[in-house]
Amino acid sequence: MNNKVRDVAIVGAGMTPCRSRWVEKTFWELAQMAVSEAVHDTGIHIQEVEAGVAGIYNDIFEFQAIPESGFQGIVGLQNKPLMRVSNGGATGAYAMLAAYNMVASGQYDLMLVLGVEKALDCYDFEAESNTPAVVQTIGYSWDPWFERPLGAHASESYAEVIQAYMDEYPGDLAPMARAKIVELLCEQAQNNPYAQRLGEKVTAEQVLHSRYVVYPVRSLETCVYTEGACALIFASAEMARKIKERNGREPIWLTGVGAANEPYFVGNDITRYKVLHRIYSDHVATKKALSMAGITINDVQVIELHDAFIPQLMITLAEMGVVPLGKANDLVEEGIIMSGGKLLVNPSGGLVFGGHFVGGSNMMSTWSAMREMRARNLEHGLIHGTGASLSMYGVVIVLERRA
Amino acid sequence: MAKTGKQAAAAAKSKQQPVISTAMLPMAAITEVKGRDGTYLQRNDVMFTAMKHAQGEFSEFFFALRDEAKVFGHRCPQCRHLIIPPFMKRCPACNFVEMKKEYVKDVGVMVATPVITVFAPSRFKGQEPFGTGRVFLQTEDGKLSDTAMLVRVRTTRGTIRPGIYKKGTPVKIAFADAREGQMLDLFAVPQEELTAKQLAKSPLLESEIEWGLLADIEFGRPTPQLQKILKQVKFHLQKLAAMIPRSPRATANLANWQRTVNVRTGGGTFSFVVHEGKLRVRDEVAKDPDLIVGVKDPSVLLAWLQDSTEALGGGFQSPALTDLVIEGTLVLNKPELETITRLDRVPRSLRRDQVVMRP
């Protein structure tokens, strides 16, 4: 049932720079930085905010259980409700979904939606490197009885789905198409002042020669590990009108939301199990969100999607209906998402070049989509989050800019 | 003679290792770290909870692996779906009807091309490269299970690599001789790699399979051209070997590692020895090597060696040796990647120590 109760708008946003490691800041400070930016961007005092939702993916990354408890007062929400959401890679989008529902239901008129994450304090003292410890931490997402004991880990999750898709659609997700997308995202990231990989230049040729992370995915096709924070301010229509009188800016409206989680275990029946060559949750979530917004995928002009791996970005766009399944190469070969094409994808540089602070990556995507919609006079945008061990979680939110 | 599950478990207990390597435990310390705008502190610490982790209702499944070398699933009496592993007791699709235990056969098919892990989490160090894939197993009524189970996938023909398995590959489930009651007690092998006798045996044990066969790589008779390339490979490898002692970093890359490696190529064979931080090349192959590396075309080794030992204007162009193993261009007779990853670090070390100068 998609009964929209009240309109919900995003009236402000604040970001921290995305860095691989912020030795200079704890996650408390990153959270406060982002919230401070957001309330000043909106033109409000934090005391006006009635409740909050915090997206934080992993207690181990923060090195604290119930990590949000520490910054409750620091972000100015003392004695107010603050719900913490954790849904794997889709944490940010699910946090936004929760906040949307809290405003749409009529319970609150003004809410803080915050995403924050550390990651690179994890350290493998034997390997003398952060990466194995980060990969192992994410590996705890697998169940402890049947799959984790086999050595399941972060990179494997999307690789299983990618391999299964390539079995189903031989020739699709071609290496050169993937490499061209990486090149595109790198160029686009240079316009994102908060991007983790500002100043980099990566060519398709470099991608094709980069090391394998897990076959067939190469290192330059994968998202980075990031520390950072992003805060958004959600408002009811009435509150958005009042805030517009203060800051003179039209809000961006959330007109469609959709979410779906596929089951954990793999099988052939898509109604009961995870079908390995699909990211069906992306398909279902997109369908629900577009239906609620009353538009089709062809009406969407900018998509900021969760690109953990470039082959997965291509599958997700196919699941969304931008191209048919099995024809993801057309995204590049037909120029659909290339410079000058009909669809702008990940102008922030995505999670590969912009950054992936897990709890808030999808909020960064939202900040970027809103920015592009205003700058380019676009009416419809879409943001997406995916996550969990076999990319089973999918959340899609449709954004609308009303002239 | 293969031990039973309990006997094997007792034997395995005598070789117990800690769950995590003690090398992973940091010394207590607070150190300085450079930030962008000054110096900051960081503290060595751990988020650490040891577990005696209850296997609960799954214990029955793991007992069956350990003591019977058999796999069972759960079947819903209403919709007839059979799930493996038996991850739930009731069928939600049928409003939580209680499911029944049912053994499955030790043959089935791959769901999709499996994933090959090269950069493993620390707990699995030393097992790389390893493959994990999902299998549907045959039920007693000749059909396949409705869910697939994640298992390690292995090959008798050297290390796991692309092309050994794909979607639909028929598999046989084999069992470790020493089993503990966990998912590493079993693994898949392609049916086409087994004899009729092995296929018919149930359970088939690891010790009843011959491993490390590189025979399927058709090296052919060495041609003059390939023999010439091999000669150049040995020349450049000796050149690399002579550079290593001049580089403290490269010497450290090979430190505390001793291996005798036979190399088989389409142009002939040779061997090399890694010992006390040094590398020595030999024309003859060793009788009992620690590792065998097979590559049809030795020019891929030559490209890597030339890039490693010569000043490069455009950067390292040839693929890393590890990538060649991942792709299946270089085949190892057993999953032991460390010799390869150590060698892969040498070229950068030679440059950092300015033994190989940048142009």
Side-chain angles (χ1 to χ4, degrees), chain B residues 35-159:
Chain B
R36 291 193 188 189
D37 59 357
T39 303
Y40 293 81
L41 292 177
Q42 59 185 7
R43 184 170 73 189
N44 288 358
D45 210 329
V46 292
M47 201 162 204
F48 176 72
T49 304
M51 306 280 276
K52 277 193 184 280
H53 186 241
Q55 305 297 286
E57 69 278 11
F58 302 138
S59 299
E60 191 182 1
F61 173 80
F62 292 121
F63 276 133
L65 293 188
R66 189 190 76 179
D67 299 335
E68 301 172 63
K70 282 187 177 178
V71 175
F72 70 80
H74 281 167
R75 190 187 284 281
C76 173
Q78 208 157 289
C79 68
R80 306 296 302 160
H81 272 225
L82 188 142
I83 60 167
I84 56 160
F87 57 84
M88 58 186 178
K89 282 183 161 306
R90 299 165 200 80
C91 181
C94 299
N95 213 22
F96 302 103
V97 161
E98 194 127 338
M99 302 173 92
K100 300 201 185 316
K101 175 179 171 178
E102 184 176 312
Y103 284 92
V104 294
K105 295 186 182 176
D106 57 4
V107 287
V109 295
M110 288 301 303
V111 173
T113 302
V115 170
I116 298 171
T117 294
V118 174
F119 301 107
S122 292
R123 292 197 194 189
F124 300 91
K125 196 164 135 61
Q127 298 175 29
E128 319 96 309
F130 61 81
T132 43
R134 294 180 195 261
V135 294
F136 291 114
L137 293 182
Q138 259 188 36
T139 57
E140 287 300 328
D141 58 5
K143 297 184 181 160
L144 291 174
S145 56
D146 292 281
T147 63
M149 190 165 74
L150 190 69
V151 295
R152 283 284 179 96
V153 296
R154 297 173 61 178
T155 175
T156 59
R157 298 168 184 175
T159 38

Side-chain angles (χ1 to χ4, degrees), chain B residues 18-36:
Chain B
V19 173
I20 55 173
S21 159
T22 50
M24 293 187 71
L25 298 175
M27 302 305 288
I30 298 179
T31 55
E32 292 181 359
V33 59
K34 284 266 182 292
R36 291 193 188 189

Side-chain angles (χ1 to χ4, degrees), chain A residues 57-58 69 83 104 125 152 204 267 286 301 330 338 354:
Chain A
Y57 154 63
N58 197 314
S69 62
M83 177 165 69
F125 282 84
T286 303
Q301 295 147 302
D330 286 354
M338 305 308 284

Side-chain angles (χ1 to χ4, degrees), chain A residues 75-76 113 232 290 399:
Chain A
V75 299
V113 191
L232 305 171
L290 291 174
L399 306 175

Side-chain angles (χ1 to χ4, degrees), chain B residues 61-354:
Chain B
F61 173 80
F62 292 121
F63 276 133
L65 293 188
R66 189 190 76 179
D67 299 335
E68 301 172 63
K70 282 187 177 178
V71 175
F72 70 80
H74 281 167
R75 190 187 284 281
C76 173
Q78 208 157 289
C79 68
R80 306 296 302 160
H81 272 225
L82 188 142
I83 60 167
I84 56 160
F87 57 84
M88 58 186 178
K89 282 183 161 306
R90 299 165 200 80
C91 181
C94 299
N95 213 22
F96 302 103
V97 161
E98 194 127 338
M99 302 173 92
K100 300 201 185 316
K101 175 179 171 178
E102 184 176 312
Y103 284 92
V104 294
K105 295 186 182 176
D106 57 4
V107 287
V109 295
M110 288 301 303
V111 173
T113 302
V115 170
I116 298 171
T117 294
V118 174
F119 301 107
S122 292
R123 292 197 194 189
F124 300 91
K125 196 164 135 61
Q127 298 175 29
E128 319 96 309
F130 61 81
T132 43
R134 294 180 195 261
V135 294
F136 291 114
L137 293 182
Q138 259 188 36
T139 57
E140 287 300 328
D141 58 5
K143 297 184 181 160
L144 291 174
S145 56
D146 292 281
T147 63
M149 190 165 74
L150 190 69
V151 295
R152 283 284 179 96
V153 296
R154 297 173 61 178
T155 175
T156 59
R157 298 168 184 175
T159 38
I160 189 71
R161 55 194 181 274
I164 300 280
Y165 290 92
K166 56 180 196 277
K167 176 182 173 178
T169 297
V171 300
K172 171 83 170 173
I173 297 296
F175 292 84
D177 290 72
R179 298 182 299 281
E180 295 181 300
Q182 52 131 333
M183 290 305 292
L184 287 171
D185 287 347
L186 74 164
F187 54 89
V189 181
Q191 286 186 19
E192 61 137 10
E193 293 184 8
L194 300 174
T195 64
K197 190 178 170 191
Q198 286 169 324
L199 276 174
K201 184 141 190 322
S202 224
L204 177 65
L205 299 178
E206 184 176 7
S207 58
E208 294 166 330
I209 302 170
E210 200 178 346
W211 301 101
L213 303 168
L214 295 186
D216 75 318
I217 302 174
E218 288 171 13
F219 292 99
R221 290 173 68 100
T223 64
Q225 190 194 10
L226 288 179
Q227 284 174 320
K228 191 177 169 191
I229 293 173
L230 186 68
K231 207 170 164 188
Q232 289 178 301
V233 166
K234 288 192 284 185
F235 170 78
H236 279 89
L237 189 57
Q238 276 161 339
K239 192 175 164 190
L240 185 82
M243 289 177 168
I244 290 169
R246 289 155 50 201
S247 163
R249 285 182 172 92
T251 302
N253 291 148
L254 302 184
N256 304 314
W257 193 251
Q258 178 154 340
R259 283 297 186 273
T260 301
V261 182
N262 282 357
V263 182
R264 292 186 62 188
T265 80
T269 59
F270 69 97
S271 67
F272 65 88
V273 176
V274 176
H275 180 56
E276 290 179 350
K278 295 192 176 86
L279 192 147
R280 273 199 333 273
V281 185
R282 293 176 175 161
D283 285 329
E284 66 282 0
V285 292
K287 245 190 204 171
D288 200 13
D290 298 300
L291 186 69
I292 303 173
V293 175
V295 58
K296 266 199 233 182
D297 182 0
S299 63
V300 299
L301 291 178
L302 182 60
W304 184 86
L305 284 164
Q306 285 173 327
D307 280 354
S308 301
T309 54
E310 291 163 16
L312 298 172
F316 216 90
Q317 292 294 320
S318 59
L321 297 176
T322 310
D323 278 0
L324 292 173
V325 172
I326 294 171
E327 283 175 352
T329 305
L330 237 59
V331 181
L332 311 179
N333 69 319
K334 61 180 182 177
E336 189 207 84
L337 206 53
E338 188 160 349
T339 303
I340 301 296
T341 54
R342 281 173 178 263
L343 283 172
D344 257 338
R345 290 184 205 129
V346 166
R348 186 161 179 258
S349 294
L350 294 176
R351 277 165 178 74
R352 289 180 76 190
D353 286 338
Q354 298 190 332

Side-chain angles (χ1 to χ4, degrees), chain A residues 125-136:
Chain A
F125 282 84
E126 185 177 23
E128 294 184 331
S129 165
N130 306 89
T131 304
V134 174
V135 166
Q136 177 156 286

